[in-house]
Each structure stands twice: as C-alpha cells, then as structure tokens.
Amino acid sequence: RALGSTVLAIAAWAVLGCLGRIGLGYAILPKARIDTAGTLIYYDYIPNFVGSLMMGLIFTLEPFIKKKHPIFYDGFGTGFLGSLTTFSSWSFSLSENLVCHSDSSVAVSIWHRVVFFMISLYIHLTSTIIAYLIGVEIAKKYKHEFEDVPDSKLNPTKHVFVWSSFFFLVFCGGVAFVVGEWVFNGDDTLYKFVLALCLAPVGALTRFTLGKWMNPISPKFPFGTFVANITATIINGAVFYSNMQASTPFWVMKGVMIGLDGCLSTMSTFMKEVITMWNKPGLDRRWSLTYIAVSVATAQFCVGWFVYYSGCQLQIP
C-alpha cells in the first residue's frame, strides 16, 4: 500500500517537475538553445541550478521531513526535483554544440568549439555543485525548528504556503508557456509537450526503480543513477539520429527528449550523490571524482557517436 502511494506520488510530482523544467528553461531562456557554436548556457541551466539547490535543502532536512511525510519526501525528491533537473539534455547540448553548427555562414574552428565545450562543462558542473551547497546551508538555518521537537508536534510543512505558492507559479508558468507555444506555433508544439508530460512518469518511475535496485550494489558508485543517466542520454542520441534521418517527426523527438529522457535522468540526485560521497567518512574522495568523470565521459561518448553519425558533423574551416 505504501509502495503504491509512493509510486503515485512520484508519477504526479514528475509531471509537475517536467512542467517546471519547461517553464524555467524554455520560457526563461528561449534564446539559450544551441543555435550557434560557442553557447555556454543551455536552456536546462536554470532548472538544474534551482533543482540542485532545492535538493540540497530537502536532503539536509531528510531526517525531519521523512519522519512525518515519507511519501511526500519520495514524491517531491525523486519525482519533482529529479524531473525538474536533467542530465541527458545537458549532455546532449554539450555534444551537439561541439559537433553541430547550424549557422553554416560562420566558420568556427575545432579549437574554438573544444574551448567553449570545456568552459561550459566547468560552468554547469561547478554551478550545480554550488547550488546544492547553498541549499544545504539554507537548510541548516531551519534545522533548529525541527530539532528536539517531539514527533507528535513535528511539522516540517510549516511553510507550506510559501512552498505551495512556488510550485503553483512554476506549474502556471509551464502551462502558460505550453499554451502560448501552441497558439503561436501550431499543433506540433502542443503535441510535443503533451507527449512529454505523458512520458514524464515513465521516466521518473524507471529511475526510481533503477535506484532502488542498483544503488545498494556498492557505496563507492551509485550504479542505479549512473545507468538511468546514461540510458536517457543514449535514447536522446538515438531519437536525434532518427530525426536527422527523417524517420522520426520532430515533435516526437522533442517529446521523448523532454519527457522520457528528461525525467529518466537527473542532475539534482547526481549532485547529491557526488557531495555525499565526497563527505562520507572512510570513503576515498577520489570515488566522487571518478563518478563525475565516468558519468560525463560515458555520456559524451554515447551521445556524441549518434550526433556525429547523424549527419550533423563538425565543419572545420
């Protein structure tokens, strides 16, 4: 019964998280897509930053929140924050910006692309780590409100009005953007977002299952999250390749990327695991760095192969 409630909570929150990513990303940074080589900030930058910050906050308060509302904690953390952030889209954007160049009138050297690739990689990784640590520090200031309080009086939802208002604004922003895109850009835009929202629970629940099944294998490497992130990245590359070969409609490609892959992969949980491993007593910190390096390198190799052989190849002047 508890598992069924958790599954439903994750599915529902995943839809909200996907909408939040659409609202924070596409609506706020519509020009930050990969239109030209040298782009440093991608559309998923703000969702990843906000989601990582909130993950640091809620994970630090886990002992108090989970004690009173375990289903809310799993639904919000795994469903909403896991779906608000995305590892696969970020990895795909890095690779696409390195390999593809839509503006053929401008010659961009391979070294220019590599430099911007490395700078963007550094910006995104460090900023999400900093965001997570900011969330941790904010949570520490609220800990005193929960410590030494009897369970019967524990109320981790004291600020429910503020939280609800934020979620409502994110939800409304996402809905407004979807409706606006449909009105001004036609049915294909509506189709891709409807498909994305339908696939969001599938991605989030698959990630939840992989985490429960594979993360306990080793304390040195979170295999569940790793497999979820890499699988989503591979699917991203595959549907992009299929679209470039004119066998998959554009709206289907975007719906799968935003909904299934965006919610199957996660940046917030990835950051949580990186910081937790770094601070874990008795565990060599090199495992945390290894986790980052292996995840990024594997994702770039997998998606880069699809992007390169899709026909969207680097033009070296």
Side-chain angles (χ1 to χ4, degrees):
R1 189 175 182 178
L3 179 60
S5 298
T6 300
V7 168
L8 290 175
I10 291 174
W13 279 107
V15 174
L16 291 178
C18 187
L19 266 176
R21 178 156 35 88
I22 291 170
L24 290 175
Y26 281 101
I28 295 178
L29 289 177
K31 298 301 182 183
R33 302 172 192 174
I34 315 306
D35 294 326
T36 58
T39 301
L40 293 177
I41 303 299
Y42 310 136
Y43 92 89
D44 47 28
Y45 176 79
I46 291 181
N48 281 348
F49 185 91
V50 173
S52 296
L53 187 152
M54 296 178 71
M55 179 61 80
L57 191 154
I58 193 172
F59 183 68
T60 305
L61 297 176
E62 176 187 15
F64 312 107
I65 298 176
K66 203 165 186 177
K67 186 183 296 184
K68 189 72 173 179
H69 299 295
I71 295 176
F72 166 80
Y73 179 83
D74 289 334
F76 181 73
T78 303
F80 182 78
L81 296 182
S83 300
L84 178 65
T85 62
T86 173
F87 180 91
S88 61
S89 293
W90 168 68
S91 298
F92 177 80
S93 296
L94 278 173
S95 182
E96 188 185 22
N97 199 30
L98 176 64
V99 176
C100 296
H101 184 34
S102 61
D103 187 358
S104 57
S105 65
V106 180
V108 181
S109 72
I110 187 172
W111 298 114
H112 177 96
R113 293 167 181 270
V114 170
V115 168
F116 272 84
F117 173 88
M118 298 303 297
I119 294 175
S120 182
L121 177 66
Y122 176 80
I123 289 175
H124 281 250
L125 284 177
T126 55
S127 62
T128 48
I129 290 174
I130 291 172
Y132 182 90
L133 295 176
I134 291 174
V136 171
E137 293 302 315
I138 293 174
K140 287 179 180 179
K141 297 187 179 297
Y142 284 93
K143 264 191 172 183
H144 69 276
E145 296 189 14
F146 306 126
E147 291 174 339
D148 303 322
V149 177
D151 290 352
S152 59
K153 295 184 178 180
L154 189 62
N155 182 23
T157 56
K158 179 180 179 180
H159 307 287
V160 66
F161 176 76
V162 176
W163 285 79
S164 299
S165 299
F166 173 76
F167 299 144
F168 180 73
L169 289 175
V170 169
F171 176 80
C172 289
V175 171
F177 181 73
V178 170
V179 173
E181 285 281 289
W182 171 52
V183 170
F184 292 105
N185 296 322
D187 289 342
D188 279 1
T189 297
L190 178 65
Y191 294 157
K192 76 179 179 183
F193 287 130
V194 169
L195 179 61
L197 297 179
C198 290
L199 293 175
V202 178
L205 290 172
T206 302
R207 171 166 43 82
F208 173 72
T209 303
L210 288 172
K212 289 291 185 182
W213 177 39
M214 301 184 70
N215 279 348
I217 292 176
S218 172
K220 298 179 180 179
F221 199 92
F223 285 99
T225 305
F226 174 78
V227 170
N229 282 343
I230 299 304
T231 300
T233 303
I234 291 174
I235 297 174
N236 255 7
V239 294
F240 176 77
Y241 178 88
S242 179
N243 174 257
M244 292 296 290
Q245 303 303 313
S247 56
T248 299
F250 180 79
W251 68 268
V252 173
M253 178 191 75
K254 295 303 292 184
V256 171
M257 284 182 167
I258 297 170
L260 178 64
D261 300 338
C263 296
L264 174 58
S265 68
T266 175
M267 183 62 80
S268 57
T269 302
F270 178 65
M271 286 297 108
K272 179 191 75 173
E273 292 165 345
V274 166
I275 301 300
T276 300
M277 292 167 65
W278 182 267
N279 293 327
K280 190 172 184 178
L283 183 64
D284 194 327
R285 287 181 169 177
R286 284 177 292 185
W287 282 106
S288 179
L289 299 177
T290 299
Y291 180 42
I292 295 176
V294 171
S295 295
V296 172
T298 304
Q300 288 306 301
F301 174 79
C302 293
V303 74
W305 187 92
F306 283 107
V307 172
Y308 184 83
Y309 285 102
S310 68
C312 179
Q313 299 181 8
L314 179 65
Q315 299 175 358
I316 302 176

